[in-house]
C-alpha cells in the first residue's frame, strides 16, 4: 500500500480538502454490508485513509488499457473521488443517486466533468475492476480502464497545462463584429 499512498499524496489536491477524517475497519465493513459489496483491499484502504478528494488540476488519468476507437480521448480529467465523509462527494449519496441509471454490477467511485463516472465492478468477471461510464453514449457505454483501483491511481500523470494569458487567448467575435470594432477604434483615434 505504500506505493498507492505515495501516488495518492501526489495527485490529491490537499489545498481543497476540508475534512481529514480516518475511518476504521468497522466503518468499511458497515459500508460493505449496506451495499452487499466486498471491496478490494486497495480501495478499502483509500476509503479508510482518504476519500472525498479532488484531483490536482494538472493530473489526468491515462488508461494503460486500449480503449475502443469510438472513444477519441486518450486522457481523462477526474474531478473527484468519492469517500465516506458527509459532503457533496459522499459515496452513499452517489450510489443512491445513480442506482437506477448505472448497470447493476457497477457502483460509482469518481466523476469526470460533464457527468461521466468512474466505477468499480461488483460481481463476477467485473469484480474490483475499474470502468468508465459515459452517460451520453448510446448502446455500449461502459469500458474497462484498469484492472484494479491501485492501477487506476498509478495511471494518473502530470500534464503541462498552459495558463491563459493575453498572448495565448484569441477571441473571434465574427467578421461583422470584428469589422465594426476595427472601424469604431479608427474613429476614436
Amino acid at each position: 500500500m505504500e506505493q498507492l499512498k505515495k501516488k495518492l499524496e501526489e495527485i490529491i489536491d490537499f489545498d481543497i480538502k476540508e475534512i481529514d477524517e480516518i475511518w476504521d475497519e468497522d466503518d468499511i465493513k458497515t459500508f460493505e454490508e449496506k451495499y452487499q459489496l466486498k471491496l478490494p483491499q486497495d480501495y478499502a484502504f483509500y476509503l479508510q485513509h482518504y476519500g472525498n478528494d479532488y484531483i490536482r488540476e494538472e493530473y489526468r488519468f491515462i488508461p494503460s488499457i486500449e480503449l475502443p476507437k469510438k472513444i477519441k480521448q486518450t486522457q481523462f480529467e477526474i474531478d473527484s473521488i468519492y469517500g465516506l465523509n458527509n459532503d457533496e462527494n459522499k459515496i452513499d449519496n452517489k450510489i443512491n443517486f445513480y442506482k437506477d441509471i448505472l448497470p447493476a454490477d457497477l457502483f460509482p467511485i469518481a466523476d469526470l466533468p460533464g457527468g461521466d463516472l468512474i466505477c468499480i465492478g461488483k460481481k463476477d468477471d467485473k469484480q474490483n475492476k475499474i470502468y468508465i461510464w459515459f452517460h451520453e453514449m448510446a448502446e455500449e457505454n461502459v469500458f474497462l480502464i484498469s484492472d484494479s483501483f491501485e492501477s487506476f491511481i498509478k495511471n494518473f500523470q502530470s500534464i503541462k497545462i498552459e495558463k491563459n494569458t493575453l498572448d495565448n487567448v484569441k477571441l473571434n467575435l465574427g467578421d461583422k463584429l470584428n469589422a465594426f470594432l476595427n472601424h469604431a477604434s479608427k474613429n476614436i483615434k
Side-chain angles (χ1 to χ4, degrees):
M1 292 297 161
E2 199 56 41
Q3 288 182 338
L4 175 61
K5 181 179 178 182
K6 183 178 177 182
K7 190 65 176 191
L8 286 166
E9 299 286 329
E10 178 185 326
I11 68 170
I12 292 173
D13 191 343
F14 288 100
D15 292 338
I16 297 177
K17 192 165 182 75
E18 294 177 15
I19 303 170
D20 195 18
E21 190 167 336
I22 294 178
W23 300 88
D24 64 24
E25 289 182 22
D26 289 338
D27 296 314
I28 302 301
K29 286 183 186 195
T30 300
F31 177 80
E32 288 178 324
E33 289 170 3
K34 181 177 181 179
Y35 294 104
Q36 301 170 354
L37 303 167
K38 179 62 182 145
L39 297 176
Q41 186 178 9
D42 51 4
Y43 185 61
F45 172 84
Y46 170 79
L47 286 177
Q48 198 173 349
H49 299 282
Y50 299 90
N52 305 66
D53 295 306
Y54 290 93
I55 303 301
R56 291 179 194 257
E57 181 181 345
E58 70 272 16
Y59 280 87
R60 299 293 184 270
F61 170 72
I62 300 174
S64 59
I65 295 173
E66 189 173 332
L67 297 174
K69 291 184 190 224
K70 70 179 181 176
I71 300 173
K72 307 275 188 255
Q73 290 176 262
T74 58
Q75 56 182 282
F76 299 89
E77 180 180 357
I78 308 296
D79 276 341
S80 60
I81 303 177
Y82 310 143
L84 299 172
N85 297 319
N86 193 19
D87 71 4
E88 68 273 2
N89 291 319
K90 185 174 183 180
I91 193 165
D92 287 295
N93 298 341
K94 300 296 184 172
I95 288 172
N96 289 323
F97 182 81
Y98 290 108
K99 70 181 175 188
D100 295 329
I101 301 169
L102 284 174
D105 58 352
L106 297 176
F107 71 94
I109 62 165
D111 57 29
L112 289 77
D116 298 328
L117 298 172
I118 302 297
C119 302
I120 288 185
K122 296 195 291 190
K123 298 177 183 168
D124 304 324
D125 61 333
K126 286 188 177 182
Q127 188 161 0
N128 302 338
K129 294 181 181 179
I130 308 299
Y131 294 84
I132 189 166
W133 173 78
F134 294 101
H135 74 287
E136 291 183 350
M137 194 175 282
E139 298 161 15
E140 184 184 10
N141 64 345
V142 175
F143 302 94
L144 178 68
I145 57 171
S146 191
D147 287 326
S148 69
F149 181 75
E150 184 170 3
S151 173
F152 167 69
I153 295 299
K154 286 181 178 179
N155 279 305
F156 276 85
Q157 295 180 22
S158 179
I159 61 163
K160 182 181 177 187
I161 298 177
E162 186 176 352
K163 299 289 183 193
N164 289 332
T165 66
L166 291 176
D167 295 329
N168 67 9
V169 173
K170 295 179 176 107
L171 291 176
N172 183 2
L173 304 174
D175 294 337
K176 290 181 181 181
L177 186 54
N178 282 334
F180 172 76
L181 292 174
N182 283 336
H183 177 71
S185 67
K186 289 177 186 175
N187 289 337
I188 292 175
K189 294 178 183 177

